């Protein structure tokens, strides 16, 4: 109801001024704002079934959405492009959008429209789009980032955009000349053919771990040419742990494509990336992806649009940002449309493959509407071509021949090959100094899937510079006459830490090649230099290093990368970074969204509650019914509990339009929204997978710092610890199997202090897993029985990191991941336990 009252107060002010003769006449230009305002009111009301009397007229007990829309229409009766769509048995007035994404009214309604805009406080900013003296806009370039929640289709859409641009370039070049009319005249420029045939799907996922895990880990860019304009496209990660990759590239772009899965709606990371885009004053273009799913309905689409609009409003978005265009797409099948329902679906029923083929046969434009929206909506970069060269380094790449490539957007001036430039940065006291001076060896431009050498690059473009040795991310490359670095955007601080140290176990050195403390430290320093969201501090010893990060996954990717490079190391349990303000201890709080089968909802609530989590919302969606079990009448409605705090923008309600289950016959799914301390979520994924039989889907993102919520209850049983060194035998494990869950198999090597299983009781148990069956010269009457053991529990790196507790370590080698006690000597561990009891 909050969003409805927001607009109703503005409408009430306009209606009160209807008879005011001092209103005068207004310019027709304000009609655009009024029409946009009318559309926003309709959107806000589309998920509300009633409005309280205090919102409009105290004399009436209740007023429905249709009543308010009729009042607005009477006062803007000459507005064009107005249609009605059914909703909840009534009709909601919406402003229909023409292809140019602009709203219009005729001149007769200019006065009323301007009055409505004035009452709403929506005035045209005279400084909008203005640029400083000496600056200009580079109309030949558009810089845009693709942002979304994880697994909403960003990288797949990048593939389609690259292919579409190359196809458009080939068509334009083949048609030749033609002059006059139509937006495709003039060559598509170089680089179009470079992307004609992509070597694989998800071509932007160039890191091995990205392709294995199916997620984007690092931001990457490429460029395509569309209708004579260079579009620099930046692909960003969708996981919360890699949010720093999104933050550091926002300064490179002037617009963003906000991709949302229409079947899931805006989720936790959607909120994060959108907030960062709006902070940079970007005006996102919303793309509803995966519209080819059979379960997608018109009502679902409208509910997702309303939820996205609510998310924009929660960040206090400006009127221009709220006036976002919406496109409907299927990145997987390569089509997009500016209207709903998309014509591609109506061509061939509900079969998306046939729809895409039918669209191609009729000459439909595929994802070209998205490229057109980028041209229409993303402003050209504001540059000063006469100023000295400056470029802020945002990304770092490596070339086998050129070495380090510093990637960034040129802020001003022109850079040419063989120019002398310097790298500028600031020290801990904020004083600027020159880090190094060098010559520009190469200028490289990424076009499609290939790289091209350039002789020069102008302001506003995104290029890679080769030749610098010591410059890193957030440093400024500039002409020798420049002495002040460019400002660097603030990055959200890390929330957890882990200590990396030398592997000192008895099995160390058998598989790794990088094992010493200096080599580990040098590798971590190199990683921190390129990843601005990581931090590095000294550890408890000279060979230990404390790494600060956003989450377990980010640390897990770093450890896995080092492991594949031949490193051996020991990892401590992750610890939370606390703050202290005004004498109060604060801890990081995360927003956790869990989607699970309805029968396991209780188990999830119990698990998170034991970890000091608080339930904010619970919504159940059945496959046979679109009704919600919550107080909301639909998945697009507000949740009053999710906006309980006022310091940051309100949390996104998990009320999305539908369950993510792809099968129509699936059971009811429940979405649960929690706030929980970060320390309580360490290792929670494995616990929930066990409690829900693998049906739980988790989404988490950092929310804010709050007062410490108290001690957590013990969340794990004791462990089974080896007290002997040697080869594990089946005979020994057969007697241990009933005592708990084993992590090892017969034939594995073990040592004193090696954790080989989880005890069924709360205390630790020390055992001898290498003992063998005694051999005698007495002949047995029967043969020895075959020993059959239950397969051991295999832990991934992330599971092992979340499993270990204080006094334990994770031993990481290229060949194995083991759990161990920090103190390897059994006698010293006994002494420590005895001293603790005393």
């Amino acid at each position: 109801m909050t969003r409805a009252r927001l607009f109703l107060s503005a409408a009430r002010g306009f209606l009160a001024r209807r008879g005011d003769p001092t209103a005068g006449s207004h310019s027709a230009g304000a009609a655009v704002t009024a029409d946009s305002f009318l559309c926003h009111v309709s959107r806000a009301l589309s998920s509300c079934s009633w409005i309280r009397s205090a919102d409009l007229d105290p004399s009436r007990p209740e007023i429905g959405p249709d009543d308010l829309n009729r009042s607005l229409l009477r006062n803007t009766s000459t507005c064009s492009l107005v249609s009605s769509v059914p909703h909840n048995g009534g009709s909601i007035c919406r402003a229909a959008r023409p292809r140019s994404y602009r709203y219009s009214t005729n001149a007769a309604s200019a006065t009323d429209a301007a009055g409505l805009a004035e009452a709403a406080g929506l005035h045209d900013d005279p400084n909008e789009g203005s640029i400083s003296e000496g600056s200009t806009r580079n109309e030949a370039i558009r810089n845009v980032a693709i942002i979304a929640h994880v697994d909403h289709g960003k990288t797949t859409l990048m593939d389609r955009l690259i292919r579409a641009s190359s196809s458009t370039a080939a068509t334009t070049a083949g048609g030749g000349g033609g002059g006059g009319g139509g937006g495709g005249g003039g060559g598509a420029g170089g680089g179009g053919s470079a992307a004609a045939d992509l070597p694989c799907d998800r071509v932007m996922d160039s890191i091995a771990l990205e392709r294995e895990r199916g997620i984007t880990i690092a931001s990457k860019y490429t460029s395509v040419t569309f209708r004579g304009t260079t579009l620099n496209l930046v692909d960003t990660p969708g996981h919360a742990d890699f949010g720093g990759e999104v933050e550091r590239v926002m300064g490179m772009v002037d617009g963003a494509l906000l991709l949302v899965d229409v079947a899931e709606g805006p989720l936790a990371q959607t909120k994060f990336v959108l907030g960062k885009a709006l902070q940079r004053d970007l005006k996102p273009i919303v793309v509803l992806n995966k519209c080819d799913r059979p379960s997608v309905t018109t009502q679902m689409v409208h509910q997702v649009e309303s939820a996205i609009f609510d998310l924009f409003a929660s960040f206090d978005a400006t009127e221009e940002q709220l006036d976002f265009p919406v496109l409907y797409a299927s990145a997987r099948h390569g089509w997009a449309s500016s209207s709903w329902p998309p014509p591609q679906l109506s061509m061939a029923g509900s079969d998306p493959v046939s729809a895409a083929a039918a669209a191609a046969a009729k000459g439909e434009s595929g994802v070209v509407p998205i490229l057109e929206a980028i041209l229409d909506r993303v402003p050209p970069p504001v540059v000063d071509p006469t100023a000295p060269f400056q470029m802020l380094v945002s990304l770092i790449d490596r070339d086998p021949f050129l070495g380090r490539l510093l990637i960034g957007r040129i802020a001003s001036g022109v850079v040419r090959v063989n120019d002398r430039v310097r790298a500028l940065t600031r020290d801990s006291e904020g004083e600027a100094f020159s880090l190094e001076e060098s010559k520009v060896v190469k200028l490289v431009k990424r076009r499609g899937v290939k790289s091209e050498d350039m002789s020069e690059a102008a302001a506003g473009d995104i290029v890679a510079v080769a030749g610098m040795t010591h410059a890193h991310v957030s440093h400024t490359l500039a002409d020798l006459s420049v002495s002040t670095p460019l400002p660097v955007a603030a990055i959200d601080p890390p929330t957890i830490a882990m200590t990396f140290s030398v592997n000192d176990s008895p099995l160390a050195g058998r598989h790794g090649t990088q094992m010493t403390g200096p080599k580990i430290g040098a590798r971590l320093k190199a990683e921190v230099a390129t990843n601005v969201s990581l931090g590095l501090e000294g550890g408890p010893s000279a060979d230990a290093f404390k790494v600060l990060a956003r989450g377990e996954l980010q640390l897990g990717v770093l450890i896995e990368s080092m492991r594949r490079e031949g490193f051996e190391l020991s990892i401590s349990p992750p610890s939370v970074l606390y703050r202290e303000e005004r004498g109060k201890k604060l801890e990081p709080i995360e927003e956790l969204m869990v989607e699970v089968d309805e029968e396991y909802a209780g188990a999830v609530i119990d698990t998170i509650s034991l970890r000091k989590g608080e339930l904010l919302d619970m919504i159940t969606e059945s496959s046979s019914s679109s009704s919600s079990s919550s107080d909301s009448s639909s998945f697009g409605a507000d949740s009053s509990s999710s906006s309980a705090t006022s310091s940051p923008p309100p949390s996104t309600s998990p009320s999305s339009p539908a369950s993510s289950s792809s099968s129509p016959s699936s059971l009811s799914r429940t979405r649960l929204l929690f706030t929980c301390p970060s320390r309580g979520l360490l290792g929670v994924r494995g616990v929930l997978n066990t409690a829900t039989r693998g049906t739980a889907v988790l989404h988490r993102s950092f929310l804010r710092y709050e007062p410490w919520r108290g001690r957590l209850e013990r969340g794990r049983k004791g462990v089974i610890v080896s007290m002997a060194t040697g080869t594990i035998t089946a005979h020994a494990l057969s007697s241990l199997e009933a005592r708990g869950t084993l992590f090892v198999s017969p034939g594995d090597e073990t040592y004193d202090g090696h954790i080989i299983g989880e005890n069924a009781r709360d205390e630790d148990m020390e055992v001898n897993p290498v003992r063998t069956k005694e051999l005698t010269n007495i002949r047995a009457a029967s043969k020895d029985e075959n020993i059959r053991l239950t397969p051991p529990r295999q832990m991934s790196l992330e599971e092992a990191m979340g499993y270990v507790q204080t006094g334990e370590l994770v031993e990481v080698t290229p060949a194995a991941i083991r759990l161990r006690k920090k103190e390897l000597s059994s006698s010293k561990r006994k002494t420590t336990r005895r001293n603790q009891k005393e």
Side-chain angles (χ1 to χ4, degrees), residues 181-198:
S193 60
D197 294 320
L198 301 185

Side-chain angles (χ1 to χ4, degrees), residues 455-467:
S455 58
E456 67 175 37
D461 205 357
I462 298 177
V463 296
V465 178

Side-chain angles (χ1 to χ4, degrees), residues 6-15 17 33-38 40-41 72 112-123 319 322:
L6 208 75
F7 299 113
L8 288 172
S9 61
R12 192 166 60 243
F14 167 67
L15 295 175
R17 296 181 69 254
T33 306
D35 230 6
S36 175
F37 175 73
L38 176 61
H40 296 162
V41 173
L72 290 174
D112 290 347
L116 179 58
E118 183 178 348
L122 305 176
H123 302 284
E319 193 266 341
L322 288 171

Side-chain angles (χ1 to χ4, degrees), residues 89 129 144 155 185 262 282-283 288 297-298 310 424 429 478 498 567 602 664 711 733 749 762:
V144 62
T155 308
V262 71
L282 304 182
K283 301 175 179 62
L288 300 186
T297 63
T298 299
D310 293 343
L424 299 172
E429 298 180 354
M498 293 182 70
F567 282 87
R711 296 180 59 87
L733 294 184
E749 295 292 325
D762 291 337

